[in-house]
Amino acid sequence: MTAGDSIALQEVGEHPLGYRVVDLMLGGGRCHFLPNTTASSCRADSRDVTKLAQEKYGWTYINSRAEFDDLKSGKNVKLPLLGLFSDTDIPFELDRRNMNDIYPSLDEMARTALAALEAATKDSDKGFFLMIEGSRIDHAGHGNDPAAQVHEVLAYDRAFQSVVDFLDNSDTEGALVATSDHETGGLAVARQLHASYPQYLWYPEVLANASHSAEYLSRALRAHIEKTNESGKKLRHFVENKLVEEGLGVMDATDEEIELVISNPALSAYAFAEIISRRAQIGWSTHGHSAVDVNIYGYAAEALRGNHENIEVGGFLRDYLNVDVDAITSKLNSTSRASSEVSLLAAGMGDQALFGHYEERLQKNLPQ
């Protein structure tokens, strides 16, 4: 069983505590919930977690845009609710916006969750806790894809604004904390491209010209090769005109850049990303995580103003919510299954494993 498989079980309630602790989940990752007897599964075993969730823990399960729309922006939700709208990741926002009839946006899911949880807790003095993750910002950093990354940040900004609006307009007292566990990619603007003294410039308009992510274009390339078996001049023409010019909005790609894309289709996403990064004069220091300090953004969270150690964010939330984390930690440690579960997650979800998973998906051309 992989770490992702274990997390899927934990989220629906199958974990050391033995009961459900989550009321609502919306997003991607459906393949970890489906048995390996189905074509779109990525589980290592034959457990159907969607069935387990419904039959044992009482979840309502939806998996399509139409079913999401039936939630009426949170006004027609039966909790607990599990909504899985993509087998793996929901596509980058740069691509998703052209598939809005298939995948809901982060902002839509955030607003739906807020409305549903507010209604469910209107007679409670405990309120609710909601985590909203713009997870694909990290993926764009791993891929060194600046066009995908800027659209992911903007999508997160829209969700952030929706939470601020909710707090302003709701009778429910609340606080908003937004931060990151790390930076990815070591992004820097005003990249030096040549040996001569650099210009103090970067070109954001280059990113605005892109209509697709490097990941999307890489998948399109591999699908085209598989379908047509093209090579040589025909394939070069397809890459240059359809993918680079139409997909990236780059009209001056060099022969060397086109050849780099064609020479290794499995990892062509990196070549596409480099084409647009150079023209925007954006540099990257790594495909992994960096040690750059990350920002904390708060609303009604004055205690987090200024510089803080990362553990202080959790401390603030613990105190604000008035939860006894020591008691639950003690309970977890005393549960016989806890140590093996925690060890599995720790072993499976390290930084290297996460990046390897991203690269593996690129090479295997796994569907969204």
Side-chain angles (χ1 to χ4, degrees):
M1 186 186 301
T2 67
D5 296 347
S6 295
I7 291 171
L9 288 169
Q10 177 182 327
E11 286 176 331
V12 301
E14 195 83 346
H15 57 80
L17 295 180
Y19 54 84
R20 179 177 58 80
V21 294
V22 179
D23 297 299
L24 181 147
M25 291 186 288
L26 301 173
R30 186 169 54 216
C31 67
H32 287 288
F33 291 77
L34 300 177
N36 62 6
T37 53
T38 59
S40 56
S41 172
C42 58
R43 285 193 68 83
D45 59 32
S46 60
R47 299 191 73 175
D48 186 339
V49 183
T50 62
K51 185 177 180 180
L52 173 73
Q54 294 172 85
E55 295 182 354
K56 184 175 180 179
Y57 296 103
W59 289 84
T60 300
Y61 173 56
I62 62 174
N63 64 3
S64 69
R65 175 75 206 216
E67 289 175 306
F68 177 81
D69 291 341
D70 285 342
L71 300 177
K72 307 298 182 185
S73 299
K75 299 181 179 67
N76 185 37
V77 171
K78 180 184 177 183
L79 298 177
L81 173 66
L82 173 64
L84 303 174
F85 308 111
S86 177
D87 288 336
T88 56
D89 304 302
I90 288 180
F92 283 121
E93 179 63 18
L94 183 56
D95 307 313
R96 189 213 64 82
R97 61 184 184 171
N98 299 314
M99 297 179 277
N100 194 52
D101 59 329
I102 302 174
Y103 307 104
S105 69
L106 182 67
D107 181 39
E108 289 176 297
M109 290 187 283
R111 287 187 279 110
T112 296
L114 287 166
L117 293 172
E118 181 183 38
T121 57
K122 63 181 180 180
D123 298 322
S124 169
D125 61 354
K126 294 183 178 180
F128 63 87
F129 172 85
L130 173 64
M131 187 186 82
I132 302 168
E133 183 178 13
S135 64
R136 303 228 66 195
I137 298 173
D138 173 67
H139 291 172
H142 280 303
N144 290 180
D145 185 345
Q149 188 167 72
V150 72
H151 282 276
E152 289 305 303
V153 172
L154 292 172
Y156 185 80
D157 284 351
R158 288 190 286 273
F160 185 99
Q161 185 61 54
S162 289
V163 179
V164 171
D165 293 342
F166 171 83
L167 292 174
D168 284 342
N169 299 319
S170 174
D171 294 332
T172 303
E173 176 191 351
L176 165 62
V177 178
T179 190
S180 173
D181 54 343
H182 56 76
E183 190 273 346
T184 302
L187 181 150
V189 296
R191 173 179 176 178
Q192 181 173 347
L193 298 177
H194 309 289
S196 57
Y197 194 79
Q199 296 175 300
Y200 298 161
L201 293 172
W202 76 291
Y203 300 99
E205 63 271 18
V206 172
L207 308 184
N209 291 334
S211 58
H212 285 295
S213 69
E215 179 180 279
Y216 178 96
L217 297 174
S218 179
R219 287 196 172 100
L221 171 61
R222 283 169 286 167
H224 180 79
I225 293 172
E226 183 177 351
K227 180 180 179 180
T228 66
N229 200 31
E230 281 184 355
S231 61
K233 290 183 178 180
K234 283 189 176 181
L235 182 58
R236 177 178 291 274
H237 178 80
F238 173 78
V239 170
E240 186 170 0
N241 292 87
K242 288 294 183 181
L243 302 183
V244 175
E245 292 184 0
E246 293 184 17
L248 291 180
V250 171
M251 304 300 173
D252 61 347
T254 66
D255 290 341
E256 291 78 12
E257 287 174 322
I258 299 299
E259 181 57 34
L260 187 60
V261 169
I262 295 172
S263 65
N264 192 349
L267 294 180
S268 57
Y270 298 140
F272 284 121
E274 172 64 4
I275 289 172
I276 196 167
S277 290
R278 286 186 65 86
R279 283 154 183 81
Q281 289 190 197
I282 290 175
W284 305 86
S285 64
T286 179
H287 282 292
H289 300 164
S290 77
V292 173
D293 286 349
V294 297
N295 292 346
I296 302 174
Y297 301 95
Y299 193 75
E302 290 298 317
L304 290 178
R305 185 182 295 276
N307 294 329
H308 293 273
E309 294 289 338
N310 58 0
I311 60 172
E312 295 178 58
V313 176
F316 168 80
L317 294 173
R318 175 200 62 206
D319 296 340
Y320 184 87
L321 296 170
N322 192 28
V323 293
D324 189 347
V325 295
D326 292 332
I328 200 69
T329 300
S330 177
K331 188 171 184 178
L332 281 168
N333 287 338
S334 65
T335 304
S336 60
R337 292 169 53 200
S339 59
S340 60
E341 292 282 348
V342 171
S343 296
L344 174 63
L345 295 180
M349 295 300 287
D351 292 351
Q352 186 174 1
L354 283 171
F355 178 58
H357 173 65
Y358 178 76
E359 193 164 88
E360 179 185 13
R361 289 191 298 103
L362 287 176
Q363 293 187 44
K364 290 185 176 179
N365 195 24
L366 291 176
Q368 294 291 351

